[in-house]
Amino acid sequence: MLSDPIRKPPPYRIKVVEPIPFLSPEQRRAALAEAGYNPFNLRADQVTIDFLSDSGTGATSTDQEAAAARGDESYAGARSWFRFRDAAALLTGYPHLLPTHQGRAAERVLFTSLLKPGQLCLSNTHFDTTGANVTLAGAEARDLPCAEARDLDSDEPFKGNIDLDALESTLAGPEGSRVGLVLMTITNNGFGGQPVSMANLEAVREITQRHGVPFFLDAARFAENAWLVKQREPGYSHWTPRKIATRAFELADGCLISLKKDGLTAIGGLIGLRDENLWQQCEALLIATEGFSTYGGLAGHDLERLAVGLREVTEPSYLEGRATQTARFARMINDAGVDIIQPAGIHALYLNAGRLLPHLTPAEFPGHSLGCQLFLDGGIRCAELGSLYLGTLDEENRLTGPAPFELVRLAIPRRVYTEEHFAYVAGVLGDIAKDPERIRGYRIASAPPLLRHFKVRLEPIQA
Ligand code: F0G
């Protein structure tokens, strides 16, 4: 159902470049061992292609850098704040806006103000820090992804949706009075980078209004979600991506945004609110812990880049170029014999490592093994999304409950890599797919209790 990616180049050319390192296989082996076989512990100067995250890793534009020179670093009421605020207000329509240094700071400020201990936060899927901040506020994060999400191969257009029946029955059931928030992540980063339909958001609004529960967006990839709605949802092909994004914000009571993604900047976050009392509570906490409410942990030059980035990101030519780049990369990977979650989203591709490495059990962490092999063979860094990240462990760090899928996320920085880089990665993957049995599993050497994947250390299981 998705049309073929068109042969059109990206709508920009490169003006400033950054060298990338190429290590020898021996150097990569030593680097990964030193890192405790955890790519988060690698140094950037050991990585050839960095697909660890699309967060804060994009390239800025000439207009953003020109604007940055105007950065007003006044402690309060800086001109840069007003330019940023106006751009964010135009996009989101929320009357109350608070800047934060990044998304998780917005999460902490909002959840501390909004959620009470013992409450429930329901979501299509919480991102990892989002779930952690719900937990730190004393509440419980519960994911209700739609049933279609369970079929990795189907072409269903909106696998990022929440399960509306599960949402309704939770709110109407014995736990209903415990629900303090419904949070929709667009796009659904924890589940394949899949988009959420406008119909799903409309239904969430209706259900939450009927039950009197606040409805927020975790809108880190609001523009990419809007582009996929335009392409895939009947009735929206004539809407601009900006109009779709603004309509999504309109449906919710407020938003959290990590602006390190669709803000097209290295740093930044935002809380958008309609409720004046909640705004005042959040503002007090923001001033005490992030910074004054006209900068929130950001420098004036960051606010300036963001004001421009928030306009550039909904440009159809930008979004078309980015979506096309990902679609072509997806095709290269499929041609190399590796399956990904279908249909491809925009910000990342999710490799089906469980299927590629059936000789490894979940307890040997096939997704992690594939990620490590991509580094060993090609200097490619990426993140596992499987049993290492999501599974349950016993006290000896042995896997007792595997994740539903063993995936690897290749997150694609914005405006950074060219088709040659993607072809290189697909080539490395193709070589792995020709002889997957040579890849061994890993076992955990040590793991922290919260947000395990960031600091876990592993060791290879010898043949
Ligand atoms: N929400 C979503 C959906 C995210 O993807 C992220 C970050 C956050 C919140 C937190 O924002 O990083 O600015 O504090 N995602 C990055 C990633 C880290 O790689 O997916 P942050």
Side-chain angles (χ1 to χ4, degrees):
M1 60 154 293
L2 297 172
S3 60
D4 262 8
I6 44 158
R7 300 295 313 176
K8 203 170 173 188
Y12 48 82
R13 57 182 181 176
I14 296 162
K15 190 161 188 158
V16 178
V17 296
E18 182 181 23
I20 55 177
F22 290 89
L23 273 60
S24 68
E26 296 71 41
Q27 287 173 319
R28 290 197 294 261
R29 252 198 307 277
L32 194 62
E34 174 96 356
Y37 297 92
N38 183 344
F40 281 99
N41 291 333
L42 289 168
R43 296 164 48 119
D45 63 7
Q46 297 167 326
V47 176
T48 302
I49 305 281
D50 207 342
F51 283 161
L52 190 62
S53 181
D54 65 317
S55 183
T57 53
T60 49
S61 68
T62 46
D63 282 358
Q64 284 180 288
E65 290 311 311
R70 296 201 299 182
D72 175 354
E73 308 300 346
S74 304
Y75 188 87
R79 296 167 188 82
S80 304
W81 155 249
F82 292 104
R83 281 192 276 268
F84 167 72
R85 188 204 60 180
D86 291 350
L90 198 66
L91 172 74
T92 66
Y94 296 125
H96 306 301
L97 297 167
L98 294 169
T100 62
H101 81 277
Q102 66 182 93
R104 65 201 71 182
E107 291 161 6
R108 181 181 53 78
V109 168
L110 180 76
F111 298 159
T112 308
S113 309
L114 180 64
L115 290 172
K116 296 186 194 65
Q119 281 192 323
L120 263 177
C121 180
L122 304 177
S123 177
N124 48 345
T125 308
H126 294 84
F127 178 66
D128 56 15
T129 61
T130 321
N133 275 304
V134 169
T135 308
L136 289 170
E140 180 190 331
R142 191 176 296 172
D143 295 340
L144 304 174
C146 66
E148 291 81 2
R150 274 179 231 127
D151 182 352
L152 303 188
D153 303 312
S154 78
D155 247 354
E156 284 294 325
F158 291 105
K159 292 184 190 173
N161 286 350
I162 197 168
D163 181 334
L164 293 170
D165 291 338
L167 178 65
E168 174 70 51
S169 61
T170 309
L171 283 163
E175 292 182 306
S177 58
R178 278 177 61 207
V179 179
L181 176 64
V182 175
L183 184 69
M184 290 294 290
T185 311
I186 61 169
T187 56
N188 192 341
N189 182 26
F191 220 111
Q194 298 291 310
V196 176
S197 71
M198 299 304 282
N200 197 249
L201 294 179
E202 303 252 10
V204 172
R205 173 191 165 90
E206 188 278 318
I207 293 170
T208 50
Q209 276 191 342
R210 187 152 39 77
H211 289 277
V213 174
F215 162 30
F216 274 63
L217 296 180
D218 178 357
R221 299 174 183 85
F222 63 86
E224 295 178 357
N225 199 80
W227 183 257
L228 293 170
V229 164
K230 182 176 167 67
Q231 305 306 309
R232 298 181 186 179
E233 189 163 355
Y236 288 94
S237 62
H238 299 299
W239 287 43
T240 62
R242 173 160 284 258
K243 187 172 163 197
I244 296 170
T246 300
R247 173 67 185 149
F249 287 116
E250 190 183 24
L251 290 170
D253 299 309
C255 72
L256 300 165
I257 314 184
S258 165
L259 293 170
K260 301 179 67 168
K261 288 85 169 169
D262 280 350
L264 299 180
T265 50
I267 200 76
L270 179 72
I271 304 173
L273 300 163
R274 294 192 203 289
D275 185 307
E276 183 145 3
N277 286 333
L278 185 57
W279 169 53
Q280 281 164 0
Q281 270 173 282
C282 287
E283 186 179 43
L285 189 57
L286 185 89
I287 295 172
T289 60
E290 273 284 287
F292 190 61
S293 42
T294 61
Y295 74 90
L298 293 167
H301 57 80
D302 296 323
L303 292 166
E304 295 282 0
R305 287 190 187 91
L306 279 166
V308 178
L310 287 178
R311 281 197 296 275
E312 286 182 353
V313 78
T314 53
E315 282 295 321
S317 61
Y318 161 76
L319 285 166
E320 179 183 48
R322 179 152 164 83
T324 301
Q325 195 174 49
T326 306
R328 280 196 210 141
F329 186 33
R331 178 174 295 176
M332 290 179 206
I333 290 179
N334 281 133
D335 290 349
V338 177
D339 288 335
I340 57 167
I341 296 191
Q342 296 289 352
I346 296 184
H347 85 284
L349 296 178
Y350 295 66
L351 310 177
N352 190 338
R355 187 174 293 161
L356 184 67
L357 307 176
H359 61 289
L360 297 182
T361 66
E364 296 169 306
F365 304 119
H368 186 74
S369 299
L370 179 58
C372 286
Q373 203 63 39
L374 282 167
F375 179 74
L376 292 169
D377 292 355
I380 300 153
R381 175 156 74 167
C382 50
E384 190 252 20
L385 283 179
S387 291
L388 185 63
Y389 167 55
L390 286 170
T392 37
L393 305 177
D394 66 15
E395 288 96 69
E396 258 99 65
N397 287 327
R398 280 177 310 223
L399 188 73
T400 51
F405 303 107
E406 304 297 339
L407 304 171
V408 174
R409 188 186 74 164
L410 305 182
I412 305 171
R414 293 167 181 77
R415 307 189 283 205
V416 168
Y417 291 115
T418 66
E419 193 152 337
E420 285 134 299
H421 296 110
F422 294 112
Y424 167 79
V425 175
V428 174
L429 262 173
D431 286 345
I432 293 174
K434 278 183 209 133
D435 184 17
E437 301 235 333
R438 75 185 157 97
I439 296 175
R440 305 259 57 86
Y442 286 80
R443 76 168 72 82
I444 292 176
S446 65
L450 189 69
L451 294 171
R452 171 169 73 222
H453 50 296
F454 290 119
K455 299 308 293 180
V456 64
R457 292 184 79 82
L458 300 102
E459 50 202 25
I461 300 170
Q462 301 309 327

